[in-house]
Structure formats: C-alpha cells, structure tokens
Amino acid sequence: MSESTPRITAQYLEQFSHQTVRILGKVRQLRGEQATIDAGGNVSIYLNRDSHLQLNHAVEIIGKVQNDLSVRVMACTDFGPENEIDFTAAEAVVDATHRYREIFYEKDT
C-alpha cells in the first residue's frame, strides 16, 4: 500500500473520517462479519473475507474510517495473545505521530 496510513487510536477516528488508517487493538467481540476492538476505546470493525481474528488477541487493522466512525478492514495482522504486546508503548507511538505530524504525514492528511 503506497497510501499514507496514519496510526490512530479510538480518540482520533473522527479526525480521519474517510481516510485509510492503522489501528492496533485488542479483539473484544466477534459477530459474523463484524468485530469490536479496544484501541484506547471501542472501535467497530467490518471484516473482509481474509480477516481471521481471535478473541483476546492483539490485531493491527489497516482500514478506511466510515461515516459512523467504524472501520472497514482492508488488511489485518494478528499479533497473538494481547498480553504479549506493550500497548502503552504503542499508544505513545500514536501520540508522537500526532504531536509531530510534519515528520510522519503529508500536510493534507
């Protein structure tokens, strides 16, 4: 994917409506083609056929933020059991990328 994919948490969803983003979260609920992840708050995810998520696993979602602030998955990666990921460090990375946007993103993002 050559498109810029800003790293976000739930608190940034509204700022990135209709854009492609990356979200690291914990799988909390699976319901058919939908899931809920905890990414500093609950995020509704619409899965694609290649999405194979497991409850209580860490997952990185690359997807497009919809009008209702849900995310439609383009790609996802299962990072294994959630206790193996340092989510505090991941949130610090997200905060740094938004604090110093000019380093990480083009101006129109």
Side-chain angles (χ1 to χ4, degrees), residues 29-108:
Q29 189 174 52
L30 294 169
R31 299 175 311 275
E33 294 183 4
Q34 294 182 344
T36 300
I37 65 169
D38 177 0
N42 286 339
V43 179
S44 295
I45 304 293
Y46 288 94
L47 305 171
N48 63 22
R49 291 182 183 198
D50 297 326
S51 302
H52 302 288
L53 306 184
Q54 293 184 43
L55 287 175
N56 303 314
H57 273 216
V59 63
E60 181 179 63
I61 303 289
I62 298 173
K64 190 163 194 162
V65 179
Q66 305 298 300
N67 283 338
D68 62 359
L69 303 183
S70 64
V71 177
R72 183 158 304 279
V73 172
M74 297 166 70
C76 66
T77 303
D78 185 324
F79 286 164
E82 66 184 52
N83 61 349
E84 295 180 9
I85 301 292
D86 184 349
F87 285 94
T88 303
E91 288 177 14
V93 169
V94 170
D95 290 341
T97 63
H98 292 279
R99 187 172 298 121
Y100 304 105
R101 292 178 60 93
E102 64 277 1
I103 296 171
F104 297 97
Y105 310 120
E106 295 178 18
K107 282 191 176 211
D108 64 339

Side-chain angles (χ1 to χ4, degrees), residues 9 16 18-21 24 39 41 49 65 89 97:
T9 56
F16 288 90
H18 304 290
Q19 295 182 45
T20 302
V21 297
L24 179 65
R49 291 182 183 198
V65 179
T97 63

